[in-house]
């Protein structure tokens, strides 16, 4: 049996409400040479029936019905059954543009140096998507090149997982999906980046992310802010902060203090705070002095930008450039 | 402000005031407006579908009428008249002007408001070229305004809302007759109580 052009990997649990829309959007794909490996993770509603019924009418849909075991085991089991070299992730509550698979497949065929290609995304329904999610959508869609993606890699997860298509071999080479107590998707992107994989984004809106209260990102402990920080700290310690016992944090607000705790937990102490607030400069916080940004010098040790205020990142980058600091060498933005 | 006439559908042409007619196209005279001037893919899609419908003597509701291009098209196709409603007063003024340019008078009633401000029902066809999330919100009221066997031509539906809109209107007692998927939007033709 020949492999399809694309394997679509989906894991679902109790998705009867939105799954038909997701499946329909796949069946409308202009690239029809796909298989859908959809792992049902112990659904107790009509999800399994929907999958079985659809599979009976469309041989491309290949359900794996399993007892509830969690998202990561479901994805691991699903990946093993993906026959194509290219794997597109998809979720059971989202919708794809009909040319999504065609465009991603063609892109990866034309660019063998790229391991993962995302697309622009749009969250819906518009009236319930809050400001923060719109900001995240705009930020993600602004990461239009590998270099921009890497520059902001530790700010937030740069991809909406069900919108990506990747080379199965690249993901297998870094160990596939793992359960680390934080988002399995962000964990995978950081490992791919650390291994030197190249990323890309097709600057067209080909994926529609459905917002609703039951999303795993709203309900699972793996997607809390603290879990994200722990994930980032874990990989920073293997990369930018490798071998470092101390670090400078720019930003003494709630975010900075939360980062101090997370860094301490991985054995890294904050040796200096930087802040622009004149009320904080000169203070001692957690036995460490707060200094003015103008005190920064090239080569004075690694720094993380931990300012929580929206819009601050571009101002900090401009200041650092003025001071001769190089992003990725002297500092990394983690907010 | 003038613009170049352009074809829309297989039998119509959108033209600025003062244009000379051509033999193979029916002119829809439009002062330059926004959205509904016909260049948007959803307007063109609606008009293409309307060309295949029997609208002779029918009464319509145009929800989110904008420039009233769909209402004017309906009249050119023999409709008896109807109601145009839009939430923006500028759009309503534009609709009134465009109806005058196409020699349409009292046959069409113009309202500035929402569906809730429309005090009639029993329409033969509803034209609604508005966003999918709005169509979802007004589904029950909209279906209630149409007679049994009447048609609903819904457009302006972004891709991601297409399935949800179809499903909701089917559950409200309508049958999907056509579902046209365009580059970014979609157009759905439904029949009530089929």
């Amino acid at each position: 049996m020949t492999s399809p052009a694309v394997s679509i990997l989906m894991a679902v649990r109790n998705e009867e409400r939105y799954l038909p829309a997701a499946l329909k959007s796949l069946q409308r794909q202009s690239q029809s040479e796909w298989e859908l490996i959809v792992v049902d993770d112990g659904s107790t509603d009509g999800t399994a029936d929907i999958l079985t019924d659809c599979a009976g009418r469309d041989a491309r849909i290949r359900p794996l019905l399993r007892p509830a075991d969690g998202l990561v085991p479901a994805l691991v089991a699903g990946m093993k059954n993906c026959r194509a070299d290219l794997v597109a992730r998809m979720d059971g509550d989202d919708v794809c543009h009909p040319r999504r698979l065609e465009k991603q497949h063609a892109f990866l065929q034309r660019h063998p140096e790229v391991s993962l290609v995302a697309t622009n995304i749009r969250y819906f329904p518009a009236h319930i998507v809050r400001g923060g999610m719109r900001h995240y959508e705009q930020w993600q869609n602004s990461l239009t090149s590998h270099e921009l993606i890497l520059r902001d890699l530790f700010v937030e997860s740069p991809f909406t997982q069900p919108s990506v298509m990747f080379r199965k071999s690249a993901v297998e080479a870094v160990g596939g999906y793992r359960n680390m107590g934080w988002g399995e998707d962000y964990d995978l992107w950081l490992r791919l980046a650390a291994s030197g994989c190249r990323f890309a984004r097709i600057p067209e809106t080909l994926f529609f992310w459905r917002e609703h209260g039951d999303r795993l990102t709203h309900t699972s402990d793996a997607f809390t802010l603290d879990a994200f920080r722990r994930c980032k700290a874990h990989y920073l310690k293997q990369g930018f902060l490798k071998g470092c016992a101390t670090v400078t944090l720019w930003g003494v607000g709630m975010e900075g203090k939360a980062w101090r705790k997370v860094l301490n937990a991985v054995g890294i102490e904050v040796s200096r705070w930087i802040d622009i607030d004149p009320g904080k400069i000169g203070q001692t916080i957690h036995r460490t002095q707060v200094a003015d940004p103008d005190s920064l010098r090239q080569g004075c040790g690694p720094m993380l930008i931990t300012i929580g205020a929206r819009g601050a990142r571009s101002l900090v980058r401009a200041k650092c450039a003025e001071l001769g600091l190089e992003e990725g060498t002297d500092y990394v933005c983690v907010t | 402000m003038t613009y170049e006439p352009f074809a829309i559908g297989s039998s119509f042409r959108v033209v600025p005031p003062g244009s000379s007619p051509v033999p193979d196209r029916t002119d829809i005279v439009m002062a330059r407006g926004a959205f509904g001037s016909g260049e948007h893919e959803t307007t063109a899609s609606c008009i293409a579908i309307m060309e295949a419908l029997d609208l002779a003597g029918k009464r319509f509701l145009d929800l989110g009428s904008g420039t009233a291009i769909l209402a004017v098209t309906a009249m050119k196709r023999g409709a008896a008249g109807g109601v145009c409603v839009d939430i923006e007063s500028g759009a309503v003024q534009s609709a009134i002007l465009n109806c005058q340019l196409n020699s349409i008078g009292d046959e069409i009633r113009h309202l500035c408001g929402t569906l809730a401000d429309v005090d009639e029902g029993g329409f033969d066809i509803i034209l609604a070229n508005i966003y999918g999330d709005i169509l979802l919100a007004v589904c029950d009221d909209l279906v209630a305004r149409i007679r049994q066997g009447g048609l609903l031509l819904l457009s302006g539906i972004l891709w991601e809302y297409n399935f949800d809109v179809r499903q909701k209107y089917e559950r409200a007692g309508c049958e999907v007759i056509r579902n046209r998927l365009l580059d970014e939007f979609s157009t759905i033709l439904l029949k009530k109580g089929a």
Side-chain angles (χ1 to χ4, degrees):
Chain A
M1 187 179 294
T2 56
S3 291
V6 176
S7 292
I8 307 167
L9 174 60
M10 181 193 287
V12 291
R13 184 193 287 176
N14 294 339
E15 206 64 85
E16 65 177 3
R17 185 173 178 192
Y18 299 120
L19 183 58
L23 293 176
K24 200 68 182 176
S25 76
L26 295 177
Q27 289 174 314
R28 287 193 179 278
Q29 290 296 302
S30 53
Q31 164 56 272
S32 60
E33 306 275 312
W34 51 262
E35 64 175 1
L36 171 63
I37 307 301
V38 48
V39 185
D40 179 59
D41 186 46
S43 293
T44 55
D45 67 356
T47 297
D49 289 338
I50 292 171
L51 291 174
T52 305
D53 177 60
C54 283
R57 291 181 279 113
D58 189 338
R60 296 174 297 178
I61 297 174
R62 298 172 54 205
L64 298 181
L65 306 183
R66 289 163 45 99
D69 194 18
L71 175 58
V72 172
L75 290 174
V76 170
M79 274 282 279
K80 285 182 186 157
N81 284 270
C82 289
R83 295 179 293 162
D85 294 333
L86 301 180
V87 176
R89 280 283 283 114
M90 178 60 180
D91 279 353
D93 53 357
D94 297 320
V95 173
C96 291
H97 187 281
R99 298 189 68 190
R100 175 211 163 175
L101 295 184
E102 172 206 330
K103 294 202 174 204
Q104 287 182 311
H105 178 260
F107 186 95
L108 289 174
Q109 298 286 83
R110 287 196 310 271
H111 296 279
E113 76 282 8
V114 173
S115 297
L116 179 150
V117 64
T119 78
N120 281 3
I121 57 157
R122 183 163 64 221
Y123 292 158
F124 77 104
H127 67 282
I128 66 171
V129 175
R130 298 180 196 277
M133 293 311 297
R134 278 287 172 232
H135 178 76
Y136 179 52
E137 171 193 284
Q138 287 162 8
W139 169 79
Q140 255 199 41
N141 292 341
S142 75
L143 304 179
T144 53
S145 69
H146 173 76
E147 290 69 27
L148 288 176
I149 290 166
L150 285 197
R151 188 180 73 156
D152 274 14
L153 188 63
F154 286 95
V155 170
E156 248 289 12
S157 176
F159 310 119
T160 293
Q161 180 170 201
S163 75
V164 308
M165 182 181 289
F166 52 71
R167 298 187 196 279
K168 189 177 171 197
S169 57
V171 167
E172 287 175 336
V174 298
Y177 286 103
R178 301 189 313 191
N179 199 347
M180 299 286 287
W182 47 65
E184 83 293 340
D185 52 345
Y186 195 30
D187 182 79
L188 179 58
W189 314 150
L190 290 175
R191 272 183 286 132
L192 287 170
S195 75
C197 285
R198 286 195 71 84
F199 304 117
R201 172 172 270 110
I202 297 172
E204 297 174 49
T205 305
L206 301 175
F207 179 80
F208 311 104
W209 186 94
R210 189 191 296 270
E211 167 68 325
H212 59 89
D214 296 330
R215 285 199 73 87
L216 210 58
T217 46
H218 297 315
T219 59
S220 167
D221 289 340
F223 295 96
T224 62
L225 290 175
D226 185 64
F228 266 100
R229 289 188 204 101
R230 287 187 288 107
C231 176
K232 294 176 191 179
H234 175 86
Y235 287 100
L236 284 166
K237 187 162 181 187
Q238 296 175 18
F240 178 69
L241 294 178
K242 188 171 183 178
C244 298
T246 61
V247 69
T248 297
L249 296 189
W250 182 336
V252 192
M254 285 173 52
E255 194 61 30
K257 287 170 184 161
W259 265 96
R260 177 189 155 274
K261 281 188 190 167
V262 164
L263 289 164
N264 281 355
V266 296
I268 299 176
E269 295 289 327
V270 176
S271 58
R272 181 175 47 171
W273 298 99
I274 300 292
D275 208 283
I276 61 168
D277 184 347
K280 291 179 183 166
I281 295 170
Q283 279 196 19
T284 299
I285 295 177
H286 293 293
R287 297 188 301 275
T288 304
Q289 276 265 302
V290 181
D292 186 290
D294 286 324
S295 68
L296 290 168
R297 296 286 179 272
Q298 213 175 21
C300 62
M303 177 169 66
L304 300 182
I305 310 303
T306 57
I307 303 171
R310 199 172 287 170
R313 196 160 54 247
S314 58
L315 299 175
V316 168
R317 282 175 166 149
K319 183 64 178 178
C320 286
E322 184 189 302
L323 294 168
L325 302 180
E326 195 176 325
E327 187 162 10
T329 304
D330 299 301
Y331 74 96
V332 166
C333 294
V334 296
T335 54
Chain B
M1 189 188 296
T2 191
Y3 58 92
E4 280 298 309
F6 58 92
I8 194 162
S10 60
S11 60
F12 287 102
R13 196 173 67 133
V14 176
V15 302
S19 297
S20 301
V22 296
D24 59 337
R25 291 263 166 181
T26 302
D27 283 349
I28 301 170
V29 184
M30 288 274 127
R32 192 56 154 179
F35 190 80
S37 63
E39 293 168 306
H40 196 280
E41 63 174 4
T42 57
T43 306
S45 176
C46 285
I47 290 176
I49 290 176
M50 289 168 75
E51 286 176 324
L53 300 177
D54 175 15
L55 297 179
K58 300 295 197 296
R59 206 164 156 68
F60 61 83
L61 168 64
D62 189 346
L63 181 64
S65 46
T67 60
I69 187 170
L70 298 185
V72 170
T73 303
M75 296 302 289
K76 300 273 183 184
R77 292 279 301 149
V83 178
C84 284
V85 57
D86 201 291
I87 201 166
E88 292 186 32
S89 61
V92 174
Q93 294 307 312
S94 173
I96 292 171
L97 172 60
N98 286 327
C99 285
Q100 289 171 352
L101 289 172
N102 289 277
S103 303
I104 299 166
D106 295 341
E107 304 96 308
I108 293 182
R109 188 157 67 98
H110 297 273
L111 289 176
C112 183
T114 66
L115 181 60
D117 297 307
V118 178
D119 56 2
E120 41 175 304
F123 293 103
D124 298 301
I125 181 166
I126 287 177
L127 311 167
N129 191 4
I130 53 181
Y131 285 121
D133 51 349
I134 300 175
L135 288 170
L136 289 168
V138 302
C139 173
D140 291 338
D141 191 2
L142 204 59
V143 174
R145 305 289 184 137
I146 199 149
R147 64 165 176 82
Q148 288 293 110
L151 297 175
L152 297 97
L153 183 55
L154 311 179
S155 196
I157 305 164
L158 285 168
W159 249 102
E160 58 265 40
Y161 293 98
N162 178 272
F163 184 93
D164 292 350
V165 170
R166 284 189 290 120
Q167 188 180 66
K168 188 153 190 180
Y169 279 76
E170 282 176 326
R171 287 177 178 170
C174 298
E175 176 192 356
V176 174
I177 306 297
R178 280 192 73 176
N179 185 30
R180 284 194 71 185
L181 301 167
L182 312 168
D183 281 345
E184 196 182 359
F185 294 88
S186 55
T187 301
I188 308 171
L189 177 67
L190 303 113
K191 190 171 186 178
K192 177 179 175 179

